[in-house]
Amino acid sequence: MLKIRDVVEIILLVIKEMHQILTTCQDFAELEKRIYRLVQTITLKLLLTACNYLDEELMKSRDKERLKLIHTKTREIITPFGEVMFKRRYYRDLKTGEGRYLLDEALGLAPRQRLSPWTTEIAVHVAAEMPYHKAAILLRELTLGAVDIRAMTIWEEAQEAGKKLLEQAEEERQAVFDRGELPKGRRQSRELRVEADEVWVAGRDNGKGRRKIAIKIGVGYEGKVKVGQNRRSLQERQVVAGVTEGKVFWEEVITQLGRRWDLSAVEEYYVGGDGASWIKQGLEYFPRVTYRLDPYHLRRALLEGLGHNEAAYKEVSEALIKGDWAEVDKALSAAERKSKGVERRRITKLRHYLKNNWEGICQTKATERLGAIEGQVFHHIARRMKRHGARWSNKGADHLARLLAARANGELKEAVRLFWQAQPETIRQAVGDKPIRTEGRKHGQDPEEWLRASVPALYGPASGEPWVKYVLRVLTKELPNIA
């Protein structure tokens, strides 16, 4: 049971500090900052009280024949309110010979982990939005210096979270494609649309000059819903991203889509992309599939090949709308004969591109069903990772891309929780069902009489101060009758 004396001391501190703040602050800005610092101080005291109390209860409820108490050791954890330092008991397991900290196990605190779970969650969220050094500055500013951690620490936390996501994705992929376990998605949808692309980011210099890293991204969704004037949103969007080869990427896509949807119930699949061979490789994984060349890449190819020739551009576009390859080929041939040098080579390149992707172009039925991938690439990957001066390693890019995909799916908190393996049932059993302990107080004893003996400060020289007098009045009137 918790000691009411600890709570009384915190209440006294709150009232005393509030009185001092109100009598000395100069303006609202100072008022809000000083109150925020007070909240930080009180929270740290409560957190310390909770840890000490829980450690004591775990000691009492342990298997004494198996766990031998050896000593106590201090641990420091950085929380969003500042650094908390507490002692916890160290035990020797007489059966296995291993050393154990029961408090760490119950709370899910990993060895050598300096950031609290909530601080880690905040750091990873901020790292997904901005460069690591800016994330460190922002955390320091928002917490008035309570969280003062290096950019490298945030990088390490983000990388560890991304690594956990990679391990989870690989385990799920192997379960489906190596061990033959069926995904357990239950959502029903008649159609499912999948678009894929890759974005190139700057890699670190490997001694052979600058290089590029390709991050693959896939987006699965059921359809598009109108959310405003000229705005549509993807329904039930699921994002997959990573630095990997095409085969593994598509297996991850199938696995993740299978976690949400019952893929056997889908009647029609639509797959879209820019015509790259690794994207077309995904067609092998979907039954009853229609391939569609992404409209953005089609328009870009037309502009690059015929942007200098307005008449030919119009003629080829009209032929594409009709889905008539003969007319497209005729218009391109005429444009080639009238061109020379670079312009002619561009038209030839356009001809090959359209020919190789004709199946995806002439599928007019799928025209309105796709065309979302470019926006998804920008919002979820490029906006964060294609910043000026940013350089990535393969692992670093892969881990962050997976974090960004988890954020897009609303699963970033779950990714961070992979760090922590707490034991809530152990905590509940250790704490029990009696909330308050009033040391030495007998059942029915007058609260004021008990407080006079247990908390002398309330009746000492400062007893006339407002923060003491009013706290005492409340406690003597409302203290529960708990023996």
Side-chain angles (χ1 to χ4, degrees), residues 388-408:
H388 178 71
R391 295 288 182 269
W392 309 94
S393 66
N394 279 19
K395 285 185 178 180
D398 179 69
H399 294 166
L400 183 56
R402 293 178 185 277
L403 276 182
L404 296 175
R407 181 192 61 179

Side-chain angles (χ1 to χ4, degrees), residues 414-459:
E414 287 71 16
V416 177
R417 290 187 184 126
L418 294 174
F419 282 103
W420 316 98
Q421 302 297 326
Q423 301 173 356
E425 188 59 36
T426 299
I427 296 175
R428 283 191 289 269
Q429 292 176 0
V431 172
D433 56 359
K434 293 183 178 180
I436 302 175
R437 176 169 65 197
T438 54
E439 293 177 337
R441 182 180 175 222
K442 299 178 181 179
H443 184 73
Q445 183 180 6
D446 179 65
E448 184 173 352
E449 178 185 348
W450 173 83
L451 281 169
R452 186 184 298 274
S454 301
V455 192
L458 294 175
Y459 293 87

Side-chain angles (χ1 to χ4, degrees), residues 360-392:
I361 296 172
C362 65
Q363 297 288 355
T364 55
K365 182 181 178 182
T367 300
E368 296 300 323
R369 289 172 168 79
L370 302 176
I373 190 62
E374 282 300 312
Q376 300 296 306
V377 167
F378 172 77
H379 288 296
H380 303 313
I381 302 294
R383 185 170 60 89
R384 169 64 179 89
M385 300 186 68
K386 287 182 70 69
R387 293 178 179 271
H388 178 71
R391 295 288 182 269
W392 309 94

Side-chain angles (χ1 to χ4, degrees), residues 174-217:
Q174 290 180 2
V176 174
F177 288 92
D178 293 348
R179 299 193 294 273
E181 300 175 12
L182 293 178
K184 299 180 180 180
R186 298 185 180 279
R187 184 174 178 83
Q188 302 285 316
S189 178
R190 193 184 73 83
E191 294 183 359
L192 195 58
R193 304 147 196 212
V194 183
E195 299 186 51
D197 201 356
E198 60 185 2
V199 55
W200 293 84
V201 298
R204 292 179 182 171
D205 194 335
N206 58 2
K208 300 179 181 179
R210 295 183 178 180
R211 60 192 183 91
K212 295 285 188 178
I213 297 174
I215 300 174
K216 292 181 172 61
I217 176 172

Side-chain angles (χ1 to χ4, degrees), residues 180-392:
E181 300 175 12
L182 293 178
K184 299 180 180 180
R186 298 185 180 279
R187 184 174 178 83
Q188 302 285 316
S189 178
R190 193 184 73 83
E191 294 183 359
L192 195 58
R193 304 147 196 212
V194 183
E195 299 186 51
D197 201 356
E198 60 185 2
V199 55
W200 293 84
V201 298
R204 292 179 182 171
D205 194 335
N206 58 2
K208 300 179 181 179
R210 295 183 178 180
R211 60 192 183 91
K212 295 285 188 178
I213 297 174
I215 300 174
K216 292 181 172 61
I217 176 172
V219 181
Y221 57 99
E222 294 179 5
K224 301 175 184 177
V225 293
K226 190 173 182 179
V227 294
Q229 187 174 4
N230 300 323
R231 287 189 59 203
R232 291 185 295 175
S233 176
L234 303 186
Q235 186 177 9
E236 295 296 321
R237 180 191 61 199
Q238 184 75 20
V239 179
V240 184
V243 179
T244 184
E245 61 177 5
K247 178 177 181 295
V248 174
F249 175 79
W250 281 110
E251 290 180 355
E252 287 189 17
V253 170
I254 292 295
T255 302
Q256 289 207 33
L257 297 182
R259 286 169 48 196
R260 176 175 293 189
W261 286 282
D262 178 3
L263 299 182
S264 64
V266 179
E267 298 178 11
E268 292 183 81
Y269 290 95
Y270 296 92
V271 172
D274 62 359
S277 58
W278 72 268
I279 295 179
K280 292 182 179 180
Q281 189 178 2
L283 300 174
E284 302 172 6
Y285 293 87
F286 299 96
R288 304 176 298 280
V289 62
T290 299
Y291 173 70
R292 176 69 181 173
L293 183 66
D294 179 63
Y296 168 82
H297 290 93
L298 175 58
R299 288 192 296 271
R300 188 175 70 177
L302 289 173
L303 286 172
E304 290 177 354
L306 296 172
H308 61 284
N309 190 332
E310 185 177 344
Y313 181 94
K314 181 178 180 181
E315 190 175 353
V316 171
S317 298
E318 292 175 351
L320 288 172
I321 293 174
K322 297 178 183 177
D324 189 333
W325 171 251
E327 286 192 23
V328 171
D329 187 52
K330 180 180 177 181
L332 290 173
S333 298
E336 275 182 315
R337 288 193 297 269
K338 298 177 182 179
S339 303
K340 295 180 181 180
V342 175
E343 292 183 357
R344 185 167 188 172
R345 287 194 293 272
R346 287 176 179 173
I347 296 174
T348 302
K349 181 181 178 181
L350 174 62
R351 178 201 297 277
H352 291 310
Y353 183 77
L354 297 179
K355 182 64 175 178
N356 292 335
N357 290 283
W358 183 247
E359 180 184 0
I361 296 172
C362 65
Q363 297 288 355
T364 55
K365 182 181 178 182
T367 300
E368 296 300 323
R369 289 172 168 79
L370 302 176
I373 190 62
E374 282 300 312
Q376 300 296 306
V377 167
F378 172 77
H379 288 296
H380 303 313
I381 302 294
R383 185 170 60 89
R384 169 64 179 89
M385 300 186 68
K386 287 182 70 69
R387 293 178 179 271
H388 178 71
R391 295 288 182 269
W392 309 94

